[in-house]
Amino acid sequence: TSSREILYAMKTIRLNRIKMEGCVDELRNEIAIMRDLDHPHIVRAIETFEWKGEISIVMELCSGGDLYDRDPYTEAEAARIINSVLGAVAHMHSRNIIHRDLKFENILFVTTSSRSEVKVIDFGLSKVYGEDKAHLKDAVGTMYTMAPEVIMGDYSEMADMWSIGKYRRASESRTRAK
């Protein structure tokens, strides 16, 4: 039999370093959401544990960098990536979860291969919303991918779709700034 080494990523947060009220609750929310999502294009939390004032999350390793690392893309590459992201977002929305911070930095390649799959990461601003659709008020996320409705303070899960549409423009803006 051949043995294959499996590598994982671990995010560890020292709770005594968190000074802002509510941040520990947001971390626990992120963990709960990650545990609830099982999709091939969403990073999976393998295990979580709390010990000696630290919370650790063991996750799938995504070692291929984020979307900025390989920009620009061919039309075929962009279509494959967007199809994967849309599948992940559709899965989140089917479970009444809104991501609220979709951006290049939160889409990672699993490996360095040119045909690597991508995974949506960072559920720190994500939120579970009710069956009657989201009507959220908190203006959270990253400004350059934020839907106008988020800024105005009344939005639904469709704000994630706006963020996906902003990928191209954010990439163009970053290229022009170089």
Side-chain angles (χ1 to χ4, degrees):
T1 68
S2 68
S3 64
R4 195 180 101 168
E5 187 176 77
I6 299 173
L7 301 175
Y8 298 97
M10 186 166 78
K11 176 180 181 178
T12 300
I13 296 94
R14 291 187 178 145
L15 298 177
N16 65 354
R17 291 191 178 174
I18 298 175
K19 303 299 181 201
M20 291 178 49
E21 193 172 322
C23 285
V24 174
D25 292 336
E26 287 177 14
L27 178 60
R28 287 193 169 96
N29 175 66
E30 177 179 7
I31 292 167
I33 286 173
M34 286 178 67
R35 282 184 174 164
D36 191 41
L37 293 172
D38 184 16
H39 189 273
H41 298 292
I42 296 174
V43 72
R44 196 165 52 98
I46 308 296
E47 186 66 61
T48 59
F49 52 93
E50 191 168 339
W51 189 64
K52 290 191 175 185
E54 296 180 342
I55 293 180
S56 297
I57 310 167
V58 178
M59 299 173 279
E60 294 176 289
L61 178 65
C62 295
S63 60
D66 67 27
L67 289 182
Y68 278 126
D69 293 331
R70 300 185 188 191
D71 188 25
Y73 298 95
T74 66
E75 186 174 340
E77 290 169 328
R80 182 179 64 82
I81 292 166
I82 289 298
N83 187 50
S84 298
V85 172
L86 288 172
V89 171
H91 180 70
M92 284 184 264
H93 292 176
S94 76
R95 304 198 49 90
N96 293 340
I97 296 170
I98 181 173
H99 189 279
R100 303 199 299 182
D101 200 21
L102 290 170
K103 57 186 178 179
F104 267 40
E105 299 95 317
N106 287 340
I107 313 294
L108 297 183
F109 289 96
V110 176
T111 69
T112 56
S113 164
S114 63
R115 297 289 301 158
S116 175
E117 294 294 333
V118 294
K119 303 258 182 181
V120 175
I121 66 160
D122 194 353
F123 291 84
L125 297 177
S126 298
K127 187 167 180 81
V128 177
Y129 57 88
E131 295 284 331
D132 57 345
K133 296 291 180 189
H135 274 289
L136 302 165
K137 307 289 182 203
D138 302 336
V140 299
T142 302
M143 215 43 191
Y144 70 84
T145 59
M146 201 179 284
E149 295 85 354
V150 175
I151 295 167
M152 293 175 358
D154 185 19
Y155 59 98
S156 72
E157 76 281 4
M158 296 311 291
D160 282 344
M161 300 308 291
W162 172 275
S163 297
I164 292 169
K166 295 301 285 184
Y167 284 158
R168 182 169 176 259
R169 297 190 87 159
S171 175
E172 289 173 354
S173 297
R174 184 177 166 126
T175 303
R176 281 188 217 119
K178 288 182 179 177

